[in-house]
Amino acid sequence: GNRIKGTDTMTFIRMDEIPKDRLKDVTYLQMTCSVRPEKKEPNRTRAVVGGDRINYPGDVGTPTAEMLVAKLLFNSVVSTKGARFMTMDISNFYLNTPMPRPEY
């Protein structure tokens, strides 16, 4: 259907289109589908790429806060009278992240 606009994040190619020197870098894709009736969009599909086989020369890490930093933040909120706190869940955060070279 037309519920979700495509992003062209992935392009499927034939095996013979993969450069010979990159054949060892080919990974896998695991598709997971679920129905979450409590969500605005109940039909959900997740694509997970085999991270144990990715051979990318750049930084592939996601910077996060240490547990101590999170505990200090939460403690400050609950200890401060009248304090307010907000958090967000950003969906599709990494889609269309530009990469200097294609991955297979």
Side-chain angles (χ1 to χ4, degrees), residues 66-81:
E66 293 182 19
M67 183 64 75
L68 177 61
V69 174
K71 287 182 176 182
L72 287 168
L73 172 64
F74 298 138
N75 187 49
S76 172
V77 172
V78 299
S79 300
T80 304
K81 185 176 177 139

Side-chain angles (χ1 to χ4, degrees), residues 3 12 21 23 48 53 68 91:
R3 293 187 323 231
F12 292 93
D21 65 329
L23 283 173
V48 179
R53 295 190 185 171
L68 177 61
S91 65

Side-chain angles (χ1 to χ4, degrees), residues 48-101:
V48 179
V49 176
D52 59 330
R53 295 190 185 171
I54 292 178
N55 179 20
Y56 186 72
D59 181 14
V60 295
T62 304
T64 58
E66 293 182 19
M67 183 64 75
L68 177 61
V69 174
K71 287 182 176 182
L72 287 168
L73 172 64
F74 298 138
N75 187 49
S76 172
V77 172
V78 299
S79 300
T80 304
K81 185 176 177 139
R84 293 179 171 199
F85 183 79
M86 182 181 90
T87 185
M88 293 186 295
D89 179 13
I90 302 173
S91 65
N92 300 331
F93 185 72
Y94 294 106
L95 289 180
N96 291 321
T97 300
M99 299 175 75
R101 75 172 196 178

Side-chain angles (χ1 to χ4, degrees), residues 16-31:
D16 63 356
E17 295 179 274
I18 300 171
K20 300 289 184 221
D21 65 329
R22 299 291 308 279
L23 283 173
K24 66 181 178 355
D25 297 334
V26 174
T27 189
Y28 57 91
L29 177 74
Q30 177 183 355
M31 298 294 291

